[in-house]
Amino acid sequence: MPLLLVDLDNTLIDRSGAFRRFAREFAAACGGTAADAQWLVDADRDGLEQRERVAARAGAHFGLAADRQAGLLTELRAGVVRHIVLDNAVIGALHAARAAGWTPFVITNGTVHQQERKLRHCGLDREVAGWVISEGAGMRKPDPAIFRLAAARAGQPLDGAWMIGDSAEADIGGARSAGLPAVWLHRGQPWPLTAFRPRHTAGSFPAAVSIVLAASAARPAGR
């Protein structure tokens, strides 16, 4: 059973959409405008900005009282989870992968508590064979060691595995370092790196799974 390694944020789930919905709700609750909601989205940097910094900046921007600011980090994290909506097409693609003999396994950067909340909130914990989270692993993508750890935890060989993810550096670069083929979810954006280019790209997770299944079916017997 070959291993299908998959990223979580903006691959299996629309983390960016969840944060935008939270930002609109949060800004409105603070008496802000649509421009303030967009400010928060920009400050988040698509989830790449340090959470503590986002919370501190948001507290200052919205002029929150000290007691509200103290719990803002928790509010930010819980708000994202609350607004995650799992696309049924993603579930369908995972089912198709499993039906074709693949073992879906999540490999994600982030904190254990937050990433596991996301997986369980939308039921993905029941759709994948397991997961490795960078905080718990003590290493982060693109370190190839975390890909080897994921394979070990899945009880599957890394040889023959594929990776699907949206991050050029962490997912596709990491897979390349680990010697794995990968599909980049472009999310409507141009490829940002110059050192190499992805061999496979897709506009959605189901499309990426289709690429993996087609490539596997086309592989000569014995290889």
Side-chain angles (χ1 to χ4, degrees):
M1 295 181 69
L3 185 61
L4 182 61
L5 298 171
V6 292
D7 177 48
L8 179 59
D9 292 313
N10 293 323
T11 298
L12 288 176
I13 61 172
D14 180 13
R15 190 266 176 199
S16 293
F19 191 88
R20 284 193 300 271
R21 289 187 288 275
F22 163 73
R24 290 194 292 266
E25 174 189 83
F26 181 83
C30 294
T33 65
D36 290 307
Q38 185 59 50
W39 176 91
L40 185 54
V41 169
D42 294 341
D44 176 66
R45 293 201 308 119
D46 209 15
L48 297 178
E49 186 61 76
Q50 185 184 41
R51 297 297 85 197
E52 291 80 2
R53 177 169 168 76
V54 176
R57 292 188 64 198
H61 179 85
F62 290 97
L64 302 182
D67 59 340
R68 177 79 183 281
Q69 289 195 41
L72 191 49
L73 179 58
T74 298
E75 190 174 349
L76 284 169
R77 286 175 167 158
V80 170
V81 174
R82 187 172 66 253
H83 284 283
I84 290 171
V85 178
L86 185 60
D87 187 346
N88 286 334
V90 169
I91 297 297
L94 289 171
H95 289 179
R98 291 204 308 271
W102 290 80
T103 300
F105 197 92
V106 172
I107 176 170
T108 177
N109 289 345
T111 66
V112 172
H113 180 65
Q114 181 72 348
Q115 299 303 78
E116 287 190 343
R117 286 173 72 189
K118 293 173 185 175
L119 286 161
R120 293 190 172 108
H121 170 79
C122 58
L124 277 170
D125 59 320
R126 300 187 297 273
E127 301 292 344
V128 298
W131 51 83
V132 166
I133 301 170
S134 63
E135 182 188 54
M139 60 189 82
R140 296 174 56 85
K141 296 179 293 183
D143 186 341
I146 198 170
F147 294 84
R148 294 192 291 269
L149 176 61
R153 291 193 179 173
Q156 301 287 348
L158 194 59
D159 183 40
W162 278 67
M163 176 71 195
I164 298 175
D166 71 293
S167 171
E169 181 178 1
D171 296 322
I172 310 308
R176 185 170 182 260
S177 296
L180 304 179
V183 183
W184 179 54
L185 296 189
H186 57 72
R187 300 171 60 207
Q189 301 297 316
W191 177 252
L193 304 180
T194 57
F196 69 96
R197 297 193 63 82
R199 183 175 179 183
H200 304 282
T201 66
S204 69
F205 179 74
V209 170
S210 294
I211 289 171
V212 173
L213 299 187
S216 176
R219 186 172 56 189
R223 292 187 63 187

